[in-house]
Amino acid sequence: MCGIVGAVSTRNIVPVLVEGLKRLEYRGYDSCGIAVHQAGALRRARSTSRVAELEAQVQCDDIEAGTGIAHTRWATHGAPAVHNAHPHFSHGAGAAAASAPGRIALVHNGIIENHDELRAELQARGYRFDSQTDSEVIAHLVDHLYDGDLLTAVQQATTRLRGAYAIAAFCRDEPHRVVGARAGSPLVLGLGAQWGGEANFIASDAMALAGVTDQIVYLEEGDVVDLQLGKYWISTRSPDGTHRAVQREARTVHAHSGAAELGPYRHYMQKEIFEQPRAIADTLEGVEGISPELFGDAAYRIFKDVDSVLILACGTSYYAGLTAKHWLEGIARIPTSVEVASEYRYRDSVPNPRTLVVTITQSGETADTLSALKHARALGMTHSLTVCNVATSAMVRECKLAYITHAGVEIGVASTKAFTTQLAALFMLALALAQVRGHLSDAKEAEHLKALRHLPAALQAVLALEPQVIAWSEVFARKENALFLGRGVHYPVALEGALKLKEISYIHAEAYPAGELKHGPLALVTSEMPVVTVAPNDALLEKLKSNLQEVRARGGELFVFADADSRIEPGPGVHVIRMPEHYGALSPILHVVPLQLLAYHTACARGTDVDKPRNLAKSVTVE
């Protein structure tokens, strides 16, 4: 979602700030801006266009300085408009001060829940608000509390805020100083020994600082950081609201900029779909056999102690969890429930201290999933494991056990390779739990490992179906609605296919278990409603064929992804693309790929912004 970059240096840091925003564009945004301390005053540029337009504006206005902050905003409070874009300036209290140039510049990620009461209080003190955002409240609050020391003002301000935030601010009266704080939203400190010696940086994501520094300090919940030339201090807030100095370890993080290059592909999403064979191979690298230790040194002890699994996730990761439920119950014979993270923490549930709480997240910073994990822990469920793509993320730090998927940087908002690598990791989790519980023979382990190792080659064969999928996409591009059907472990794959189509093509798409057709959705079926069906040759195939006949009898047009030996033949109103091979338990990993391609090429045919679909963000760091 929103992105933050800030810096203090003796050199002009504007190019670094702009480049940092470009590296964060993949998160999704609808406005952007930059503010600097230049010639003793605050200067800024803001835009509701892309970062490239902001860069041109900055160059035209000759904005350059050694201290500054920059931001990409995904609108929550207030419409996408220049006056709502960050950075925000304070104006000071009173009629004269409110019309004068401000002294506090501030950017903010997250949501301030008590912004209305703070706004009313500050307006009563004479502060003028120029935006509808909750973020502007923080700028005025810091200004109100400022008494010559920015660090103290920010520390005092954070004690008044309820909600999630990562902020960065600087003051007109204190050159070469930026203060940041975080609670519920990620923020990192970058040490600038590689960049002129005295520079220090702050960002919401280490990737924003790729090529500038690889020395990263991950700020923890409640931390406030004071950046100055060649030095910094970190303090953290105690339960009583006071702050004490702390030390945080600097880590070497190689956030390679090359991973974000588009190369020969038309869009990042297309690139990432075709990267899946390599991503799966990287995720499985070093797996010589199945053992609990794949998930951490304490995994065997924890796996022996648990008698159920609770999966917490959002969006695409939630569908990965629904798929994993079939594996965990079918292979490991362990009861498994899957919860939408944003719902779980707000309902009464029955906790079981012997539950393994599994979180699934690409970024490891998803606010809903982090909050759900903390809620489960508060209920006494302390055994936790995450499947995550970012080894340095908050989620990995919060969980006792982890499996890091090696999907690489995923730029497209619509997740593809993160999903399939999550599935590979979750399948291994099912095998590891089955082994500990005595449900995995040596022969079965060898069979499953052989299938896992063959996945990259099998995925390459599926990707070769792209020309056939393109032909279908030309039909779908003219439609406004679609149904997706699947049964058993392939119902979550149908859900994921429908989500991809609606995310990037804006076609209304729904997914159902095929057996549910007669219980309502069949009323929607006409010749104008394409029905996409995932049809592997499994135990439910004959049942699925009956469901397909129900569609044809109502004039529906079928688009079937069928295994080669499923005996589903093309005919009037029945279009069939044959998968290269039947893949048993791992079939969902293969069957989702043509659904990704269908969504991608349909979106291309409709001319939508594939990598940055409207209203969506890559990393959802607010509730």
Side-chain angles (χ1 to χ4, degrees):
M1 302 188 80
C2 305
I4 289 173
V5 192
V8 292
S9 174
T10 55
R11 295 160 55 182
N12 178 26
I13 46 78
V14 171
V16 173
L17 300 181
V18 171
E19 184 61 27
L21 293 188
K22 289 180 179 178
R23 297 192 190 285
L24 296 178
E25 284 190 285
Y26 76 97
R27 287 173 170 253
Y29 66 103
D30 40 47
S31 65
C32 52
I34 187 171
V36 300
H37 189 290
Q38 186 172 4
L42 305 186
R43 295 195 64 196
R44 71 180 168 190
R46 298 183 291 178
S47 172
T48 54
S49 187
R50 294 301 183 201
V51 173
E53 193 278 336
L54 176 70
E55 182 177 28
Q57 185 179 338
V58 164
Q59 292 172 348
C60 181
D61 293 345
D62 292 324
I63 294 177
E64 58 178 52
T67 301
I69 52 179
H71 192 264
T72 53
R73 174 181 185 254
W74 186 77
T76 53
H77 296 71
V82 170
H83 68 278
N84 287 325
H86 298 218
H88 291 292
F89 286 173
S90 66
H91 300 294
S99 61
R103 64 178 175 181
I104 302 295
L106 181 139
V107 293
H108 164 234
N109 292 353
I111 291 177
I112 303 303
E113 296 172 358
N114 60 333
H115 69 95
D116 280 337
E117 60 188 76
L118 290 173
R119 179 185 291 259
E121 175 188 328
L122 290 162
Q123 285 176 328
R125 294 180 180 276
Y127 284 91
R128 188 190 82 231
F129 283 78
D130 294 333
S131 76
Q132 288 80 50
T133 69
D134 55 334
S135 306
E136 189 183 2
V137 167
I138 312 174
H140 293 318
L141 180 61
V142 172
D143 182 279
H144 167 62
L145 296 170
Y146 184 77
D147 189 23
D149 181 62
L150 181 62
L151 174 62
T152 300
V154 171
Q155 288 174 330
Q156 292 175 348
T158 60
T159 65
R160 300 288 312 277
L161 304 178
R162 292 201 311 269
Y165 58 82
I167 61 176
F170 68 88
C171 179
R172 178 196 62 203
D173 302 335
E174 297 184 71
H176 298 305
R177 190 181 198 186
V178 170
V179 174
R182 66 148 298 191
S185 289
L187 199 65
V188 304
L189 164 67
L191 308 182
Q194 299 167 299
W195 204 81
E198 291 193 325
N200 281 312
F201 306 91
I202 195 168
S204 52
D205 189 325
M207 186 177 173
L209 305 179
V212 176
T213 180
D214 61 2
Q215 294 302 298
I216 301 295
V217 177
Y218 289 88
L219 300 179
E220 298 186 10
E221 194 78 356
D223 281 358
V224 179
V225 60
D226 183 357
L227 280 71
Q228 298 187 33
L229 289 175
K231 53 191 175 183
Y232 68 92
W233 295 268
I234 300 174
S235 62
T236 196
R237 191 171 72 228
S238 302
D240 62 1
T242 61
H243 285 78
R244 57 182 175 81
V246 292
Q247 298 291 323
R248 302 289 185 220
E249 177 188 1
R251 306 185 189 184
T252 301
V253 176
H254 298 291
H256 294 297
S257 58
E261 293 173 0
L262 187 57
Y265 296 97
R266 184 175 175 186
H267 298 96
Y268 284 108
M269 182 177 179
Q270 183 187 30
K271 174 178 182 278
E272 288 153 12
I273 289 172
F274 277 83
E275 285 177 340
Q276 287 177 111
R278 178 206 56 77
I280 290 285
D282 289 349
T283 296
L284 299 175
E285 186 177 3
V287 178
E288 300 298 330
I290 298 301
S291 73
E293 285 69 31
L294 291 170
F295 300 87
D297 293 340
Y300 180 81
R301 176 182 56 79
I302 290 174
F303 288 2
K304 286 289 287 184
D305 189 50
V306 301
D307 61 10
S308 63
V309 174
L310 168 63
I311 296 175
L312 303 172
C314 303
T316 286
S317 296
Y318 172 70
Y319 298 149
L322 291 177
T323 306
K325 175 182 171 71
H326 288 268
W327 293 332
L328 288 161
E329 294 193 338
I331 298 173
R333 313 300 299 166
I334 186 167
T336 301
S337 59
V338 187
E339 296 267 3
V340 174
S342 59
E343 291 291 319
Y344 169 70
R345 66 182 292 220
Y346 294 112
R347 71 173 186 82
D348 291 332
S349 58
V350 182
N352 172 9
R354 295 188 64 192
T355 294
L356 177 64
V357 180
V358 177
T359 63
I360 310 172
T361 164
Q362 189 281 137
S363 68
E365 305 289 351
T366 306
D368 288 320
T369 310
L370 282 164
S371 296
L373 171 67
K374 293 173 183 176
H375 176 67
R377 186 184 298 145
L379 294 176
M381 295 186 286
T382 59
H383 298 318
S384 58
L385 181 153
T386 188
V387 174
C388 182
N389 192 40
V390 183
T392 55
S393 65
M395 189 66 76
V396 174
R397 297 195 299 273
E398 289 283 343
C399 289
K400 291 183 177 179
L401 305 176
Y403 194 95
I404 307 302
T405 58
H406 293 282
V409 176
E410 192 177 62
I411 302 296
V413 167
S415 181
T416 52
K417 62 179 180 175
F419 178 70
T420 49
T421 53
Q422 286 170 352
L423 290 181
L426 290 164
F427 187 76
M428 287 191 290
L429 175 62
L431 296 182
L433 282 166
Q435 184 185 77
V436 171
R437 294 168 64 83
H439 299 302
L440 185 69
S441 67
D442 290 344
K444 271 294 183 183
E445 178 182 345
E447 178 185 328
H448 288 311
L449 282 171
K450 181 180 178 182
L452 282 165
R453 291 177 182 131
H454 183 58
L455 269 177
L459 284 167
Q460 290 287 7
V462 175
L463 289 167
L465 299 173
E466 185 180 35
Q468 298 176 59
V469 177
I470 291 173
W472 283 13
S473 71
E474 294 170 358
V475 176
F476 277 75
R478 299 191 295 270
K479 306 296 183 179
E480 293 302 326
N481 301 280
L483 280 177
F484 285 70
L485 303 178
R487 295 202 71 142
V489 72
H490 292 87
Y491 167 50
V493 171
L495 285 165
E496 174 63 8
L499 177 62
K500 287 292 154 285
L501 189 67
K502 72 181 78 171
E503 277 182 315
I504 62 172
S505 74
Y506 314 145
I507 293 172
H508 173 242
E510 298 290 343
Y512 290 90
E516 280 293 292
L517 264 178
K518 64 181 75 69
H519 297 290
L522 201 56
L524 296 173
V525 172
T526 70
S527 59
E528 288 301 306
M529 175 75 79
V531 180
V532 181
T533 307
V534 181
N537 187 9
D538 59 14
L540 292 171
L541 179 61
E542 295 307 318
K543 296 288 186 184
L544 180 63
K545 287 181 179 179
S546 298
N547 303 139
L548 301 188
Q549 289 302 318
E550 294 170 353
V551 173
R552 286 300 302 133
R554 275 77 179 177
E557 193 168 5
L558 288 163
F559 295 81
V560 185
F561 292 101
D563 284 348
D565 53 358
S566 62
R567 300 183 305 283
I568 297 176
E569 300 299 328
V574 182
H575 311 274
V576 180
I577 290 179
R578 298 203 182 280
M579 300 289 284
E581 58 183 307
H582 175 53
Y583 219 65
L586 289 168
S587 174
I589 297 178
L590 298 189
H591 268 279
V592 76
V593 174
L595 300 183
Q596 296 169 347
L597 288 169
L598 179 62
Y600 169 72
H601 287 291
T602 300
C604 288
R606 288 168 70 95
T608 63
D609 191 343
V610 172
D611 289 331
K612 300 182 181 68
R614 68 189 181 202
N615 304 332
L616 299 180
K618 182 64 180 173
S619 179
V620 184
T621 55
V622 297
E623 286 191 67

